[in-house]
Amino acid sequence: MSPTSTTGPRGREHALMVSGIGGQGIQLLAKTLAQALTAQGRYAMLGAEYGGEMRGGPTQATVVVGDAPLRALPIVPRADAAILMHDRFSENTLARLAAGGLTLVNSSVAPEEFLADREHVVRVPATVLAREAGAAQAGGFAMLGAYCALTGAAGHDELVATMTALLPPYRRQHAEGNARALEAGAAHVTSVPTAAGALT
Amino acid sequence: MTLELLQGSVAITRAALAADCKFFAGYPMSPFTPLLEAMSREMADASGVCINAESEIEGANMALGASAAGFRAATGSCGQGIALMQETIAEAALNETPLVVFNMARNQQDYYQCTRGGGWGDYRTITLAPKDITEAVEHTQLLFHLADKHRAPVILYGDDLLAKTLVGVDVAPLDLPELPAKDWALDGSASGTGSSRQVWTFAMGKKNDPGPGPDGQWRRVAAKFAEIEQVEARHETVHAEDAETLVVAFGSAAKFAEYVVEELREEGHRVGLFRPITLWPFPGAALAEATRGVERVLVFELNAGQMIDDVRQWAHDRDTIRFIGGVSIDESGLAFGPLLDAPVIRERILAEHAEHAEPAAAVPTARS
């Protein structure tokens, strides 16, 4: 599949939308990706929307990247790819996702029939992978590892360095577990055949 | 150039520090709070002072005091808190104290508030409405310059998206013309000399050094704002030259409108955009010129119709003006609602543009 751009009438920009339930690590995975892309010298934007609750409510984030000053809107009309950490609260993301856009689904929580008819869907049991990696809270990082392995957006070492730097001092103890989750997600998708190609 | 992924509020804070802002005071209110937080984190390292005041009124007056002492100073809130600051802003205008006010607004319902004065007396506030964070970084620096240049309160009209979105930016200091020394500042240097300075709205002066008094002072201030109106208007046009339909929008809404206009242009529609960059002074002469050849002027703003008053005042033909905006607030009441979305804006522009662009399909009854 050739690289696509549907985020703007001009310039090649790529938009990823991430959605799920507050507490699944959605904001942190999106910020890690945006930060890693910025560290590569690329133009990145992170748009975040979440309800008043810290946990349990709808949460969503958007990461846009390009190699020139971005024209993307802070609320993107269209996304090129999506990470759905849960089937709940995914409606807005799916409504904006380009036809054929790479879609990662957290198959640990989404039912099997969810998006069964859609193309380019990659099922990643992110919650289970993270638990097996000894980092039950790091499902978001398992998904980010899978996404980056599929798209080549950022390498494992870049992600680990960025993730570690983003953790506040009182959460540094999670760095190793998060790194294992990133690796587990990447290993999962490189071991299964997929039609999804590089998108960035 | 090194890009850093910064939240808009942090980028604006860095820009204020690049402009040598030394004092900030305010009271938390969403979506202004992240700006106050960023100022409180970063101001001390820049040898400045940030105070979380006990109220908006207190914060604004602290900033006024710091500015009267000769330091670049700022305050901020959202429109609700700036409503409380209006007496201070009016005093700053009438006693000619520079003051930068950040309105990290919840929506676009503060257009009247920032363009019509707001307090008492004959004054206006120069208001810049950036369309995105990159521009907000420039506008912030420019505002500190304009406040000092004109010795007047000025406003940055921001919003929830500008406050909270993160983007890769490079906060580079703007190269602005040098300004004269602040020979009016209450820096204590003239104490005991018999010619100590005053900053006084009524400008009555002292027995040995009488001032112009309220009549003289307020006439002079009014004349100053009339002059500012002539020289500080800024605007931007996109595809306006041959547009049949010209959209007028400001701030973040203009960024969305620009995106849609570019998209429609690529599809062959002759649509354009006129964006007031300064809400006051309103770029009226430029709008009159830009609307000369157009068939319709569509006003898109996230309120019940405020800027449209200025558009009506200046557009070449008032009968061509249509309102395609509206009140749209999210369920929290603290941010934009669903109207600020490219597909929705596209639909509203096309509904007006396409209907009239094909005469054969036109509805026979005139739209009001």
Side-chain angles (χ1 to χ4, degrees):
Chain A
M1 191 164 62
S2 62
T4 56
S5 167
T6 54
T7 56
R10 278 201 228 147
R12 254 186 57 184
E13 297 176 4
H14 184 272
L16 163 72
M17 285 181 80
V18 192
S19 64
I21 299 179
Q24 287 190 295
I26 283 156
Q27 299 302 329
L28 187 55
L29 94 80
K31 191 170 184 184
T32 303
L33 178 60
Q35 186 70 54
L37 294 166
T38 306
Q40 293 171 2
R42 308 185 74 189
Y43 288 85
M45 182 187 83
L46 170 61
E49 283 175 66
Y50 38 91
E53 310 96 319
M54 282 292 282
R55 293 193 171 84
T59 182
Q60 179 184 300
T62 305
V63 179
V64 181
V65 64
D67 292 311
L70 298 178
R71 300 182 52 81
L73 298 173
I75 299 167
V76 299
R78 283 182 293 274
D80 304 279
I83 293 177
L84 308 178
M85 284 300 292
H86 206 286
D87 51 311
R88 286 186 69 197
F89 307 129
S90 62
E91 299 82 3
N92 182 47
T93 298
L94 288 170
R96 284 161 201 261
L97 183 59
L102 173 65
T103 313
L104 273 68
V105 173
N106 181 4
S107 55
S108 300
V109 295
E112 214 167 297
E113 63 275 15
F114 180 63
L115 301 187
D117 298 337
R118 203 182 165 95
E119 281 185 63
H120 303 305
V121 173
V122 179
R123 291 175 199 279
V124 181
T127 310
V128 170
L129 289 174
R131 200 183 302 133
E132 287 171 359
Q137 84 293 342
F141 283 116
M143 208 60 139
L144 180 60
Y147 175 79
C148 288
L150 286 169
T151 61
H156 177 73
D157 293 347
E158 287 174 273
L159 292 172
V160 171
T162 305
M163 171 274 294
T164 307
L166 280 176
L167 290 175
Y170 57 90
R171 292 211 172 122
R172 280 285 155 81
Q173 71 275 17
H174 296 307
E176 280 185 20
N178 291 346
R180 287 196 301 274
L182 281 165
E183 202 168 4
H188 179 80
V189 294
T190 46
S191 67
V192 294
T194 169
L199 283 163
T200 52
Chain B
M1 186 179 70
T2 309
L3 293 174
E4 204 177 340
L5 187 73
L6 296 178
Q7 187 192 47
S9 295
V10 177
I12 289 170
T13 295
R14 299 269 174 91
L17 298 179
D20 203 31
C21 176
K22 291 293 182 201
F23 185 87
F24 192 86
Y27 185 81
M29 194 186 298
S30 187
F32 159 73
T33 306
L35 181 64
L36 179 58
E37 288 173 342
M39 289 283 183
S40 73
R41 277 196 306 271
E42 309 221 357
M43 190 62 96
D45 287 342
S47 314
V49 173
C50 176
I51 295 180
N52 188 136
E54 288 184 2
S55 73
E56 286 82 1
I57 296 172
E58 192 180 89
N61 282 295
M62 286 176 172
L64 181 71
S67 181
F71 296 95
R72 284 193 162 176
T75 185
S77 186
C78 55
Q80 286 77 352
I82 289 171
L84 290 168
M85 298 178 178
Q86 292 302 334
E87 186 187 26
T88 309
I89 294 169
E91 291 288 330
L94 298 170
N95 65 33
E96 298 184 276
T97 306
L99 180 64
V100 177
V101 180
F102 292 95
N103 180 5
M104 304 313 284
R106 293 173 176 178
N107 48 59
Q108 295 199 311
Q109 291 178 303
D110 306 330
Y111 183 90
Y112 285 155
Q113 185 192 62
C114 66
T115 58
R116 263 58 182 168
W120 65 277
D122 284 296
Y123 74 94
R124 301 287 187 118
T125 41
I126 296 175
T127 301
L128 290 172
K131 65 177 179 180
D132 57 23
I133 291 166
T134 306
E135 195 175 67
V137 165
E138 289 176 18
H139 283 180
T140 297
Q141 299 181 64
L142 181 58
L143 280 168
F144 279 98
H145 177 82
L146 293 174
D148 278 356
K149 180 181 175 186
H150 297 297
R151 290 183 59 185
V154 298
I155 296 176
L156 183 98
Y157 198 123
D159 59 40
D160 180 72
L161 292 173
L162 291 168
K164 291 182 179 166
T165 304
L166 284 81
V167 287
V169 283
D170 176 37
V171 181
L174 278 191
D175 191 15
L176 294 162
E178 202 156 314
L179 294 169
K182 295 181 177 179
D183 59 3
W184 49 266
L186 307 183
D187 58 6
S189 60
S191 294
T193 63
S195 54
S196 61
R197 300 165 186 160
Q198 293 180 328
V199 170
W200 188 7
T201 303
F202 280 63
M204 291 180 178
K206 299 185 291 188
K207 195 169 183 182
N208 65 348
D209 181 18
D215 184 67
Q217 172 74 356
W218 301 347
R219 281 170 189 269
R220 205 169 55 74
V221 167
K224 183 176 80 176
F225 281 104
E227 198 175 302
I228 294 171
E229 188 168 16
Q230 298 306 312
V231 298
E232 295 296 359
R234 290 170 164 81
H235 75 283
E236 180 187 51
T237 56
V238 180
H239 300 307
E241 322 74 42
D242 63 341
E244 289 170 6
T245 297
L246 189 71
V247 182
V248 185
F250 71 93
S252 285
K255 173 120 178 162
F256 282 70
E258 181 184 346
Y259 181 94
V260 173
V261 162
E262 293 281 8
E263 201 174 58
L264 291 174
R265 271 279 164 177
E266 295 208 343
E267 295 167 22
H269 296 284
R270 279 167 59 186
V271 295
L273 174 75
F274 183 94
R275 174 170 74 102
I277 294 173
T278 46
L279 304 186
W280 192 89
F282 188 79
L287 181 70
E289 184 58 37
T291 52
R292 192 170 288 272
V294 307
E295 289 168 28
R296 67 201 66 83
V297 178
L298 307 182
V299 179
F300 179 73
E301 50 184 331
L302 277 297
N303 56 42
Q306 298 191 10
M307 177 180 66
I308 196 170
D309 284 4
D310 289 327
V311 176
R312 283 197 186 108
Q313 191 178 333
W314 289 98
H316 182 68
D317 178 358
R318 271 190 270 183
D319 290 343
T320 60
I321 301 170
R322 309 272 187 278
F323 185 65
I324 59 164
V327 177
S328 184
I329 316 286
D330 83 344
E331 60 189 21
S332 71
L334 310 178
F336 290 118
L339 181 51
L340 189 63
D341 200 5
V344 185
I345 299 167
R346 179 190 163 93
E347 202 173 290
R348 290 195 174 196
I349 292 174
L350 271 181
E352 294 290 340
H353 176 78
E355 175 178 342
H356 299 273
E358 294 173 356
V363 182
T365 50
R367 294 173 68 90
S368 60

